[in-house]
Amino acid sequence: MFKKQEADNFKEAETIIGPSVKVEGDFVGQGNIIVDGVIKGSVTTNGNLRVGEQAKITAAVTAANALISGEIHGNVTIKGDLELTENAKIFGDVETKSICVARGAILNGKCAMTNDEIKNNKKQPLEKTEPEIRL
Amino acid sequence: MHIYIFDYFLNQKSYEAVVAKIETRLTDLGLNGKNCHVGPLKSLKSIVKEEFKNNPKTIVAIGNNATLNQLINALEENDITVGIIPVGDNNSIAQSFGIEDEERACNVLSARLVETVSLGKINEQYFIAAAQIANKETILEINGKYTVEPTGPGLTKIINLNADASSPKSSPQDGLLEIVVSVTKKGLISSSTDVSFIQTSRLIANNLAHKNFLIDNAAEVATPAEITVVKERLQIIVGKERVF
C-alpha cells in the first residue's frame, strides 16, 4: 500500500542506525530515519521512519509516516501512514491516521485512528428524536 | 601580499625539483610573494605569527593534509584567505577542494575562487576534513540527549568535509558534522561492513581504552573530547572540481 511512497521517502534518509550500533536516550531527528539497530529511550522525528527486520526499539516512537519490519516495545504515534510488514512486532499502543497490517504481523496493544473524518463524527452528537404522542 | 609556507619535509633533496617548479610557476602567474620554509628552529606557527604583522592577503600552505591542519590551527582568530598547494602523499583535503596537483594548484590560486567553509573543533584544535577513532570502547554522546555505542570493531568518523568519499552527504558549508560509524563483520568467506550515519552539530566522545582521535590524518587529540562545528570559519581558495 505505502511501499512505493515509502521507498521514495527513504532515498533521502538523514539518519541511519545500523545493526551494529546501540543507541540510548531521547533520539530526536528532523528528517527521515532508518533504524536497523537497537534503540532504548524514545525516537522522535518530523520525517519518516523505517524500522528494519533486525531492529529492536524499546522506546516511544513518534514520526510522520512509518514502515515497521522490526520489534517495538513502546507506544507508536504516527501522524500519517503506518505499515506493518509480516515480520513487524509491536508491543504497545498505536495511534495513526491510516494503517496497513500484513498477515503475520503482531500488534499487541490498543489501536486508535486519528482520522479527521472520525474526529468530525465524534463532534456531531446524535440528534435525539422525541417520540410522537398521539391522543 | 601572498605568503607561501613550505612544509618541513619539502627541505628534502627529493622535493627540490618540485619546489623549484612551484616557485617558477607562481612567478609566471604573477603570484609572487614571500616564501617561508619550515625548519628545525622555525615552526609553521611561528612563521604565521611573524607574518601576520605584515598584513598578508593570502597564506598558502605547500605540503599535505598535515600542513593545512597546522596552518588552520596557527591562524587562531584571524580572518585570512588560505590556499593549498599539494605536494607528495596524504593530500585528500586538497583533492576534495578540487586541487589535484601542484601545477593545477597554482592555476587555482591564480583564478582565486574563494569559498567560506565551516571547521570542526575538537577540544581546542580545528580540523577541516575528519576526526576518527577506533570503535573499541568508544561512546558518543550526541547533543547531551542520547548516546551511540558501536557494538563491533571498526572506525568512527566525525566528518566535516568528505575527503575520502565515506560520507557523500557531508558538506563543509551545511554547519553540521556527520558521524559515520563503520562496523566490520567477518564472515566465513567474506567480511561485510555495517554503516550508521547521524548528523549533529555537537557531541562528546569518550574512549574507555584511552585511544586518541586522529584529525585530518595528521594530529592526535586525547579523549574525552568535545567536538563542535564552527560555522563559516575559514575562507579557502578552491578549484571548480571541488566536492561540495
Side-chain angles (χ1 to χ4, degrees), chain B residues 15 29-31 39 43 94 101 156 180-181 229 231:
Chain B
Y15 289 105
L29 291 167
L31 294 168
S43 70
D101 52 38
T156 297
V180 178
V181 182
V229 62
K231 290 179 187 173

Side-chain angles (χ1 to χ4, degrees), chain B:
Chain B
M1 188 179 68
H2 286 62
I3 303 293
Y4 298 98
I5 303 178
F6 293 78
D7 204 346
Y8 185 58
F9 73 91
L10 297 175
N11 293 331
Q12 293 170 26
K13 208 161 179 69
S14 55
Y15 289 105
E16 230 172 43
V18 179
V19 171
K21 192 179 161 191
I22 292 168
E23 287 174 343
T24 309
R25 183 67 184 145
L26 290 172
T27 309
D28 290 348
L29 291 167
L31 294 168
N32 308 37
K34 187 176 176 184
N35 294 349
C36 307
H37 293 260
V38 177
L41 300 173
K42 214 174 179 186
S43 70
L44 191 145
K45 194 171 184 176
S46 66
I47 293 172
V48 171
K49 199 174 177 182
E50 187 65 29
E51 294 305 328
F52 264 130
K53 292 172 188 167
N54 304 322
N55 291 326
K57 186 183 171 192
T58 310
I59 296 184
V60 180
I62 300 150
N64 54 27
N65 287 355
T67 320
L68 192 57
N69 182 272
Q70 283 181 61
L71 177 59
I72 59 164
N73 280 293
L75 294 176
E76 294 174 355
E77 299 303 314
N78 295 295
D79 288 325
I80 188 165
T81 304
V82 165
I84 172 90
I85 299 178
V87 179
D89 300 327
N90 191 21
N91 271 305
S92 54
I93 296 175
Q95 282 168 8
S96 41
F97 283 137
I99 303 166
E100 281 294 321
D101 52 38
E102 62 270 8
E103 196 169 340
R104 285 186 211 175
C106 296
N107 298 338
V108 165
L109 286 178
S110 177
R112 203 178 168 83
L113 173 62
V114 179
E115 287 283 352
T116 304
V117 296
S118 303
L119 291 178
K121 192 176 185 186
I122 176 164
N123 290 342
E124 290 307 313
Q125 276 198 279
Y126 290 104
F127 61 91
I128 297 180
Q132 62 183 57
I133 192 167
N135 281 348
K136 196 180 176 188
E137 305 284 336
T138 297
I139 300 174
L140 310 172
E141 188 189 316
I142 318 289
N143 284 330
K145 287 181 179 169
Y146 59 95
T147 60
V148 175
E149 195 178 337
T151 57
L155 205 61
T156 297
K157 279 187 178 182
I158 319 299
I159 298 169
N160 179 51
L161 166 73
N162 181 29
D164 59 1
S166 57
S167 170
K169 284 187 180 177
S170 292
S171 165
Q173 293 179 313
D174 63 3
L176 289 169
L177 297 168
E178 284 72 34
I179 303 168
V180 178
V181 182
S182 308
V183 177
T184 311
K185 283 184 170 177
K186 283 185 181 172
L188 285 172
I189 301 164
S190 61
S191 58
S192 61
T193 307
D194 289 335
V195 178
S196 299
F197 179 89
I198 298 166
Q199 286 183 313
T200 186
S201 56
R202 182 182 165 270
L203 70 142
I204 293 170
N206 199 2
N207 186 280
L208 303 176
H210 304 291
K211 296 276 184 194
N212 293 341
F213 267 100
L214 179 66
I215 58 169
D216 288 345
N217 281 331
E220 290 198 2
V221 176
T223 54
E226 182 180 8
I227 306 170
T228 54
V229 62
V230 185
K231 290 179 187 173
E232 298 174 0
R233 178 66 192 84
L234 182 72
Q235 287 183 307
I236 190 149
I237 299 172
V238 296
K240 282 181 182 171
E241 287 87 34
R242 63 191 180 280
V243 296
F244 57 92

Side-chain angles (χ1 to χ4, degrees), chain A residues 6 9-10 13 15 17 27 29 31-36 39 42-52 55 57 59-69 72 75-78 81-83 90:
Chain A
E6 292 287 344
N9 291 338
F10 283 105
T15 306
I17 305 297
F27 187 91
N32 299 341
I33 298 176
I34 297 174
V35 180
D36 284 314
I39 298 185
S42 68
V43 181
T44 308
T45 178
N46 293 334
N48 304 320
L49 173 73
R50 191 173 79 191
V51 179
I57 300 177
V61 174
T62 307
N65 300 293
L67 173 67
I68 314 287
S69 302
I72 299 177
N75 296 339
V76 178
T77 308
I78 305 297
D81 305 329
L82 170 66
E83 180 173 352
I90 296 182

Side-chain angles (χ1 to χ4, degrees), chain A residues 119-127:
Chain A
K119 278 182 185 172
N120 291 340
N121 283 345
K122 273 185 183 175
K123 281 174 190 172
Q124 289 173 357
L126 290 172
E127 285 179 19

